[in-house]
Amino acid sequence: RHKHEASKKDTERLRTEIRERQMQQELRKKTEEVTQMEYIRNVFRRFVESMPVGDAEYERLIPVLMTFFQFSSEDLRQMQAKRSAQRGLLSSFWSK
């Protein structure tokens, strides 16, 4: 009877350990996914800020991709400001 009780305790301890390890793996996976998504968002942000200003096709895609990547309206304003500054630099360059 004593061996049976010890065996039950060991089994429960092992099950708990397995659940904890599974939870750790899931957390690690989620953290990696979030990190990868943040990296992709930053790459996309740099791409948008540096892409040609005024191309109609690009301009139509920006809001769609901004929604997909869940950028805030503040992020959008910052990107638009950088692109406007770029447009100003290009027009002053070409007017010389």
Side-chain angles (χ1 to χ4, degrees):
R1 178 157 172 88
H2 179 63
K3 287 182 181 179
H4 180 67
E5 288 296 318
S7 177
K8 280 179 88 173
K9 285 182 182 179
D10 284 344
T11 301
E12 188 57 36
R13 183 183 54 79
L14 289 172
R15 284 184 180 156
T16 301
E17 188 176 322
I18 288 170
R19 280 192 298 265
E20 287 175 1
R21 287 188 184 205
Q22 286 173 334
M23 288 173 53
Q24 288 173 348
Q25 286 176 338
E26 288 176 24
L27 179 61
R28 196 173 303 122
K29 183 179 176 186
K30 287 286 184 193
T31 302
E32 289 171 0
E33 288 173 0
V34 168
T35 302
Q36 288 174 353
M37 187 60 168
E38 192 61 31
Y39 174 78
I40 291 169
R41 287 180 81 227
N42 287 329
V43 168
F44 172 72
R45 180 184 193 128
R46 287 188 198 113
F47 173 74
V48 168
E49 291 171 352
S50 65
M51 64 191 219
V53 178
D55 185 304
E57 186 176 352
Y58 288 141
E59 299 300 325
R60 284 192 302 271
L61 288 175
I62 291 173
V64 173
L65 293 169
M66 297 294 288
T67 301
F68 174 80
F69 285 111
Q70 300 175 343
F71 281 99
S72 69
S73 54
E74 178 60 27
D75 289 331
L76 179 57
R77 279 192 290 278
Q78 289 173 357
M79 281 189 252
Q80 287 173 333
K82 284 188 178 184
R83 296 188 78 230
S84 293
Q86 179 188 29
R87 183 179 301 134
L89 286 173
L90 286 175
S91 63
S92 67
F93 174 77
W94 289 113
S95 64
K96 290 182 179 183

